[in-house]
């Protein structure tokens, strides 16, 4: 069965950096686009970033553009999110989510989610 | 700046029917926004309920239905049950590989 397991979260100082990982299993990772989303404490969900199955396309929410970088290592079945120039507003649980259709087929939702990894930006 | 709007909260009686909506601050929601809906209970990961406006995800009971109502996407729960008490989020595709969540609706069943 599909499993997505995030890791790498923790406490980081303002201005700092962090790299989150999402280990995927139960499906052919290299065939699927992937997303990151986040949820600040007591707040709603926010879409953060997307990477196409072959890495040819990446996209970001305005709130994280130029600070966060999404990438993937298909040999490790792992999705990454590099976070830089962090502020308190980046404090959140970060979730990875899978695109439902393989390849470049049209699909505009998320079918499987991980349990999330918490990031706290604080001095 | 485009914002996806949802009712902050809603209440429904057990067995009752409730319709949650999802709008766009900059215009109308259409099937081209490929609305999807997610259910989340506190401390849990989201669960996919509905996609492409009105297709139920696997295992989702048929008391959940999706539609476009006027200029908004809508999620209707018919015959609400106690375990439907959750936060509900819509997601709209706004083009150029960009997705946007609504602010979420907290549904109370009482």
């Amino acid at each position: 069965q599909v499993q997505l397991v995030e890791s790498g979260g923790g406490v980081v100082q303002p201005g700092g950096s962090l790299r989150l990982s999402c280990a995927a299993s139960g499906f052919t990772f290299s065939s699927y686009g992937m997303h990151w989303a986040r949820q600040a404490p007591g707040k709603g969900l926010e879409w953060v970033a997307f990477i196409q199955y072959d890495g040819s396309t990446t996209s970001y929410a305005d709130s994280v553009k130029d600070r966060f970088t999404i990438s993937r290592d298909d040999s490790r079945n792992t999705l990454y999110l590099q976070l830089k120039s962090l502020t308190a507003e980046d404090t959140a649980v970060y979730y990875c989510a899978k695109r439902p259709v393989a390849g470049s087929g049209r699909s505009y939702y998320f079918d499987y989610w991980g349990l999330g990894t918490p990031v706290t930006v604080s001095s | 700046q485009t914002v996806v709007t949802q009712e902050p909260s809603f209440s429904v009686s057990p067995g009752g029917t409730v319709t949650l909506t999802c709008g766009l601050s900059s215009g109308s929601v259409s099937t081209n926004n490929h609305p999807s809906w997610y259910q989340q209970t506190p401390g849990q990961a989201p669960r996919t309920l509905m996609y492409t406006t009105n297709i139920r995800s696997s295992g989702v009971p048929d008391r959940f239905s999706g539609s476009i109502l006027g200029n908004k996407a809508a999620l209707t729960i018919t015959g609400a049950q106690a375990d439907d008490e959750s936060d509900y989020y819509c997601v709209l595709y706004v083009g150029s590989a960009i997705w946007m969540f609504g602010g979420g609706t907290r549904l109370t069943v009482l």
Side-chain angles (χ1 to χ4, degrees):
Chain A
Q1 72 281 23
V2 172
Q3 278 201 309
L4 300 171
V5 180
E6 302 91 338
S7 61
V11 180
V12 59
Q13 292 190 335
S17 299
L18 207 57
R19 189 177 80 160
L20 308 182
S21 300
C22 169
S25 61
F27 64 103
T28 305
F29 178 73
S30 60
S31 295
Y32 290 85
M34 298 291 295
H35 297 264
W36 286 99
R38 68 183 180 180
Q39 186 169 34
K43 303 294 185 182
L45 291 159
E46 178 187 17
W47 175 80
V48 171
F50 166 72
I51 185 166
Q52 188 57 286
Y53 73 101
D54 57 359
S56 60
T57 298
T58 59
S59 55
Y60 301 89
D62 285 344
S63 59
V64 306
K65 195 179 293 185
D66 300 325
R67 299 189 302 120
F68 290 8
T69 302
I70 189 171
S71 63
R72 61 191 300 151
D73 184 342
D74 291 344
S75 68
R76 296 177 183 269
N77 288 343
T78 302
L79 175 73
Y80 299 104
L81 187 67
Q82 178 72 48
L83 289 59
K84 296 182 179 178
S85 303
L86 287 163
T87 72
E89 285 66 45
D90 298 313
T91 294
V93 174
Y94 285 74
Y95 296 96
C96 64
K98 174 182 163 290
R99 196 170 187 238
V101 175
S104 57
R106 293 188 173 191
S107 62
Y108 301 95
Y109 67 103
F110 324 115
D111 62 350
Y112 287 93
W113 297 74
L115 295 179
T117 186
V119 172
T120 301
V121 183
S122 173
S123 54
Chain B
Q1 170 130 352
T2 299
V3 174
V4 177
T5 60
Q6 294 185 248
E7 299 87 358
S9 63
F10 234 120
S11 183
V12 62
S13 300
T17 296
V18 62
T19 296
L20 313 182
T21 67
C22 175
L24 268 176
S25 62
S26 58
S28 298
V29 176
S30 74
T31 55
N32 292 329
N33 296 117
H34 307 277
S36 56
W37 292 88
Y38 304 84
Q39 180 189 49
Q40 187 185 38
T41 52
Q44 301 294 317
R47 170 197 181 197
T48 305
L49 284 179
M50 196 79 56
Y51 59 95
T52 315
T53 305
N54 58 6
I55 301 174
R56 278 186 298 275
S57 191
S58 176
V60 174
D62 60 7
R63 65 176 183 274
F64 291 88
S65 62
S67 63
I68 299 289
L69 284 180
N71 62 351
K72 295 183 178 182
L75 176 72
T76 299
I77 307 173
T78 304
Q81 299 183 1
D83 62 2
D84 295 334
E85 187 162 292
S86 296
D87 295 327
Y88 291 85
Y89 294 92
C90 69
V91 170
L92 300 178
Y93 179 70
V94 295
S96 303
I98 301 293
W99 286 259
M100 297 188 71
F101 277 89
T105 297
R106 175 150 294 180
L107 181 67
T108 302
V109 181
L110 53 70

